[in-house]
Amino acid sequence: MSLTKCVECGSNEFKPIEYTMEHQENDKTLVIENIPAVQCNNCNEIYITAEGSKYIDKQLAIFRNEGFENAAKEVIKNKGITQEQLGNALNVTKQRANQILSDGNLDAQTMIKVSKAVNEPVEVLFKFRRITQKNDKYYIV
């Protein structure tokens, strides 16, 4: 469902923007940049899109996993591979395959096995992002 009317002023004219927000967690402030959003042309109220919400969740997961991004679930879904098929290829249960796709703490051997099973490079499935600190704020780069 897309936004059709501004809650604040009732306008139906919006422009796409990239929004920046701060998220406080465990005494740390994460700055999340480039969030897909829309802004009301009349009153400038900002609304985060569904895509923006997914992006925020992804950035938070990366931050919580100290820079590790498990993109395997997204890649496998895009390739049309089910968790059951992945489990069969890895010789594990469907439940273990799901756990692997959601895990933020995988060993190198598991990453290599998944890479071979889905015929994708490890660096496409699993990424290591740098988190930098500027003043008292953290940024994923």
Side-chain angles (χ1 to χ4, degrees):
M1 179 171 125
S2 63
L3 186 65
T4 56
K5 189 184 279 191
C6 178
V7 175
E8 292 297 315
C9 72
S11 173
N12 61 356
E13 295 183 26
F14 301 92
K15 62 183 173 191
I17 63 166
E18 289 187 345
Y19 182 64
T20 297
M21 68 173 271
E22 293 184 0
H23 175 78
Q24 193 75 27
E25 190 166 305
N26 299 330
D27 298 326
K28 294 181 179 178
T29 302
L30 172 64
V31 178
I32 304 174
E33 301 173 303
N34 305 316
I35 302 166
V38 293
Q39 185 172 32
C40 175
N41 288 345
N42 188 46
C43 71
N44 294 324
E45 184 72 16
I46 295 172
Y47 299 92
I48 296 172
T49 65
E51 179 187 355
S53 292
K54 289 178 186 175
Y55 178 79
I56 292 168
D57 289 343
K58 186 175 181 179
Q59 297 302 299
L60 290 173
I62 293 167
F63 184 66
R64 290 175 183 141
N65 290 318
E66 299 178 5
F68 178 71
E69 178 183 354
N70 185 340
K73 190 174 208 169
E74 186 176 321
V75 171
I76 288 167
K77 181 181 176 185
N78 290 340
K79 290 184 91 167
I81 299 170
T82 66
Q83 292 176 6
E84 188 171 356
Q85 290 168 326
L86 178 63
N88 290 338
L90 297 174
N91 201 25
V92 298
T93 65
K94 176 183 173 183
Q95 290 78 13
R96 175 64 182 135
N98 180 48
Q99 184 183 28
I100 289 168
L101 296 176
S102 303
D103 202 339
N105 187 23
L106 294 174
D107 62 85
Q109 288 293 353
T110 302
M111 288 187 242
I112 292 167
K113 287 178 184 175
V114 173
S115 171
K116 288 179 180 177
V118 300
N119 196 29
E120 287 288 342
V122 171
E123 59 271 14
V124 169
L125 300 170
F126 308 101
K127 301 170 185 173
F128 296 91
R129 308 278 298 278
R130 191 165 46 99
I131 298 174
T132 61
Q133 184 178 359
K134 295 177 189 169
N135 301 319
D136 291 334
K137 298 179 181 179
Y138 294 84
Y139 298 80
I140 299 172
V141 293

